[in-house]
Amino acid sequence: MTATSSARVAPVRRSTQAAAHKAAHKGQQTKAAIVDAALGMATHVGVEGLSIGALAEAMQMSKSGVFAHFGSREELQISVVREYHNRFEDEVFKPALKKPRGLPRLRALFDNWMQRTSVEIDSGCIYISGAVEFDDRPGPVRDALVDTVMTWHAAMKRAIAQAKAEGHLNATVDEDQTLFEIHGLILALHYEARFLKSPESIARAHRGFDHILARCGASS
């Protein structure tokens, strides 16, 4: 190949690479838009209620077009679980890290969790509805749900441990039991607010958290 022909090939190669990059970027944007729509649906019909057909109609795409971005309905469901978890972290976990270690951070985690829960009362929580749908159904979707919930539990338990280390809670506090009781408040809130329509449920959950802290010897 001569120098002249090489010079002609280089722009063509760069143009091809640019086109491929643009197509990949567009594909990522389309996939993200599909996941966003699917997450919106899942809050109302559950992760198991998702269908390629309904998503295709909502996105004004063909079923094969939607399917091509995931390869299976199961992979779509897992993508929705992961996106839900990412948003949960952005709204609940990450802002709390700006608070000082110990009780201030633990309170922030609960307050942020409660704020998100109060919004989800009108839609639904993927963690809770997913547990009902997949509690006895082994497989990748259940594994994804368990993994995300356990990741959040680990963050909350770490905050409890830090509160003990800072002297904000008694050194004898059982971290697992405290986490269990705090999580129980959230589960009770969803049941009371969504199913029983109790107007006092949010206030009761906040009081319940204060009672847990008082029993654990909260000092600040």
Side-chain angles (χ1 to χ4, degrees), residues 127-139 141-142 145-146:
Y127 289 155
I128 294 177
S129 63
V132 174
E133 293 174 315
F134 294 93
D135 59 349
D136 58 354
R137 296 180 57 185
V141 179
R142 184 185 189 280
L145 279 163
V146 170

Side-chain angles (χ1 to χ4, degrees), residues 75-93:
E75 186 57 39
L76 167 65
Q77 292 172 317
I78 293 172
S79 295
V80 166
V81 171
R82 289 172 178 163
E83 178 61 20
Y84 180 84
H85 180 69
N86 289 340
R87 296 186 187 188
F88 186 90
E89 283 195 328
D90 287 342
E91 294 179 21
V92 177
F93 179 66

Side-chain angles (χ1 to χ4, degrees), residues 114 189 198-210:
M114 283 291 295
L189 172 59
S198 170
E200 298 294 324
S201 55
I202 293 178
R204 290 185 186 281
H206 277 293
R207 285 199 294 272
F209 183 68
D210 289 339

Side-chain angles (χ1 to χ4, degrees), residues 8-24:
R8 290 173 180 171
V9 169
V12 173
R13 183 178 297 133
R14 286 196 295 269
S15 177
T16 302
Q17 291 173 343
H21 178 75
K22 183 177 181 180

Side-chain angles (χ1 to χ4, degrees), residues 60-117:
Q60 296 184 330
M61 297 174 60
S62 66
K63 290 183 181 180
S64 60
V66 173
F67 189 85
H69 286 280
F70 302 95
S72 68
R73 177 171 171 268
E74 189 174 76
E75 186 57 39
L76 167 65
Q77 292 172 317
I78 293 172
S79 295
V80 166
V81 171
R82 289 172 178 163
E83 178 61 20
Y84 180 84
H85 180 69
N86 289 340
R87 296 186 187 188
F88 186 90
E89 283 195 328
D90 287 342
E91 294 179 21
V92 177
F93 179 66
K94 292 179 181 178
L97 291 179
K98 298 177 182 178
K99 298 293 183 178
R101 289 163 58 98
L103 197 54
R105 186 173 298 177
L106 180 59
R107 283 188 181 278
L109 283 170
F110 183 77
D111 288 344
N112 294 346
W113 196 0
M114 283 291 295
Q115 184 175 355
R116 182 178 175 89
T117 299

